[in-house]
Amino acid sequence: MDRNIPETHFSAVELGVYDGCSFVVTTERESIASTPVSYKLQCSSPSKLEPEQAASIDPPRLPSNLIVIDSVFSGKGRRAETDFAGVVIEPLFRKLNVQHQFVKTSSPHSIRDIASSLDAKSQYTILFLSGDTSISEFVNHLPSSHSNISIVPFPMGTGNAWATSLKLTDPAVILSQFLKGSLQTHQFPLYKATFANGLSIKFFIILSLGFHANLLHLCEEQEYQQMGVERFRIASQRILDNYALNSHVSIPNTLQGSYSYFVLINTTHLEPTYIPSPQSDPLNPPLHVLAYESSLSQSEFRKRLMNGYLNTLKTDIQEKGTIYKALPDSFEVYISDNPEERHKFELCCDGQLLNLLDLNPSPDHTVSFKIETCTSPSLLVLC
């Protein structure tokens, strides 16, 4: 036997029984933890299942005003075999006669167009097949008065920080839970960053400066676009070798110093196995700050970054050279650096990439922005 041939892993998830057919999704992966390489929707006889497995699907119990949004460029994009919406959801909903709207993104404006078109007085449930950035874009283009939207995130992006932190990791399992009505409804906190030029962005995962923001900006370059998660490792090394990682940041009464890594974070995870903020809770405030002082050696800085793969939930990771603490509901962030070093003003806000110098009408050595808890729109997540 050739030991170099990867062992293919198959998993089957029963969605439920309808009209004498038990619907099952089979997912193929190269290993248990790897990205799916194919999905298949199959029908089998309910008699072959254990009684407790054969839960009935009752289409009339599903939410009205159901929208499926497939952000087709998220993650590595969609191939015929990995098109979960096309292979599983659409044919299943046709068989169940589920009334829904299906949106497959076709332009950079698709998501903002659907968000801005929703009636603020109507109730919607949205199945989001995407990464974090698409959901953030949707939230930021909703009418601020909207309070009747429930989101079900299906992790189809690269990092999938929000879905993973909500323990939503397998699209087939999520769909099964949705159909069976076993997902619970929760409110989740939104935060608003307001910049010097008046621009405001709502976020619910992360706002970063320093290494993390530099990494996301660099990965937008064409050479990294088709690499998947691997691009982060390669781009990280380039930043460590070539960037001055010493941003001067302060939050009054909280911290002040020079930091190589600075994030305001609301989720435990940034990737399925990476837990940088063990005490965060995606369903509840407060926001946390995590910052690594630039005085750390490169090897120690790298070690602390990699500790995210070793952290366990609820642990306190604060130590000398690491700032990790909960934040108040409202505060200001100040960055004091030389404007000629543009990378020190690079910012990432839930995947939206900006440079603070472009948002400051009067460029100076000190740039600031305000963070506050946001009360509108009021949104729900099913998890």
Side-chain angles (χ1 to χ4, degrees):
M1 180 181 293
D2 187 347
R3 294 180 179 272
N4 294 320
I5 298 177
E7 181 181 352
T8 303
H9 176 79
F10 292 91
S11 61
V13 174
E14 185 261 331
L15 302 179
V17 176
Y18 178 76
D19 196 23
C21 177
S22 174
F23 293 99
V24 176
V25 176
T26 301
T27 304
E28 177 187 2
R29 293 178 171 87
E30 293 181 352
S31 66
I32 293 178
S34 66
T35 302
V37 297
S38 74
Y39 298 103
K40 289 183 180 178
L41 178 66
Q42 299 169 307
C43 178
S44 62
S45 170
S47 62
K48 296 179 182 180
L49 298 170
E50 296 295 327
E52 64 269 18
Q53 289 182 298
S56 295
I57 301 174
D58 185 5
R61 288 192 322 188
L62 296 177
S64 58
N65 281 346
L66 181 61
I67 302 175
V68 179
I69 299 179
D70 187 8
S71 182
V72 299
F73 299 109
S74 59
K76 291 186 176 181
R78 305 287 184 268
R79 295 181 294 106
E81 301 86 351
T82 58
D83 182 0
F84 191 78
V87 171
V88 178
I89 293 180
E90 283 300 290
L92 176 66
F93 281 9
R94 283 196 298 269
K95 291 178 183 293
L96 300 178
N97 295 313
V98 174
Q99 297 297 311
H100 68 288
Q101 179 182 355
F102 178 54
V103 178
K104 180 176 285 191
T105 57
S106 58
S107 79
H109 304 291
S110 295
I111 290 177
R112 66 184 67 178
D113 289 345
I114 187 67
S116 59
S117 71
L118 298 182
D119 180 3
K121 297 180 181 179
S122 298
Q123 186 171 352
Y124 300 91
T125 298
I126 301 179
L127 309 188
F128 245 110
L129 283 66
S130 72
D132 301 315
T133 303
S134 296
I135 300 175
S136 175
E137 183 180 5
F138 177 82
V139 169
N140 275 282
H141 287 87
L142 279 173
S144 60
S145 59
H146 223 305
S147 60
N148 298 300
I149 291 181
S150 299
I151 295 172
V152 185
F154 288 71
M156 297 289 186
T158 302
N160 302 306
W162 195 47
T164 301
S165 298
L166 294 168
K167 299 180 175 60
L168 299 173
T169 58
D170 185 324
V173 173
I174 298 166
L175 181 59
S176 176
Q177 293 171 330
F178 174 72
L179 294 171
K180 295 172 182 176
S182 60
L183 295 174
Q184 301 297 310
T185 301
H186 303 271
Q187 287 190 318
F188 64 94
L190 286 176
Y191 303 92
K192 182 170 70 173
T194 304
F195 303 97
N197 67 348
L199 173 71
S200 64
I201 297 178
K202 295 161 188 172
F203 69 102
F204 49 94
I205 300 171
I206 188 171
L207 183 150
S208 66
L209 298 161
F211 179 85
H212 180 269
N214 298 153
L215 179 60
L216 273 294
H217 277 258
L218 185 57
C219 284
E220 283 297 292
E221 295 187 3
Q222 188 61 38
E223 63 182 288
Y224 299 102
Q225 288 301 295
Q226 299 302 315
M227 292 185 184
V229 176
E230 179 69 6
R231 62 181 168 171
F232 296 122
R233 183 188 66 80
I234 297 171
S236 293
Q237 190 58 54
R238 180 173 163 187
I239 291 171
L240 291 170
D241 290 343
N242 298 290
Y243 284 45
L245 296 172
N246 55 349
S247 298
H248 296 86
V249 185
S250 64
I251 299 175
N253 304 314
T254 301
L255 60 75
Q256 180 175 357
S258 175
Y259 304 101
S260 51
Y261 183 100
F262 178 93
V263 300
L264 309 177
I265 188 167
N266 189 55
T267 58
T268 52
H269 293 67
L270 288 183
E271 299 171 19
T273 60
Y274 189 67
I275 306 175
S277 184
Q279 295 186 4
S280 287
D281 182 346
L283 298 177
N284 292 288
L287 202 59
H288 282 72
V289 61
L290 172 61
Y292 298 129
E293 295 179 357
S294 59
S295 58
L296 297 173
S297 66
Q298 186 178 118
S299 61
E300 181 61 26
F301 173 55
R302 189 192 298 266
K303 176 185 174 183
R304 297 198 189 188
L305 285 176
M306 297 305 292
N307 280 345
Y309 292 105
L310 305 174
N311 290 336
T312 56
L313 297 179
K314 304 298 183 183
T315 57
D316 187 357
I317 59 171
Q318 181 161 278
E319 58 180 311
K320 184 177 180 180
T322 296
I323 309 297
Y324 183 58
K325 59 178 69 176
L327 291 164
D329 291 339
S330 177
F331 56 91
E332 299 266 356
V333 180
Y334 296 87
I335 301 92
S336 302
D337 278 304
N338 185 349
E340 293 183 3
E341 298 181 282
R342 280 187 63 86
H343 74 275
K344 293 187 177 182
F345 296 88
E346 288 179 340
L347 179 142
C348 174
C349 188
D350 281 5
Q352 296 189 59
L353 303 179
L354 307 163
N355 192 296
L356 290 170
L357 295 178
D358 301 328
L359 306 177
N360 193 34
S362 303
D364 197 353
H365 284 260
T366 298
V367 176
S368 67
F369 55 90
K370 182 177 182 178
I371 302 292
E372 58 192 324
T373 302
C374 183
T375 58
S376 62
S378 177
L379 304 176
L380 301 172
V381 62
L382 298 178
C383 60

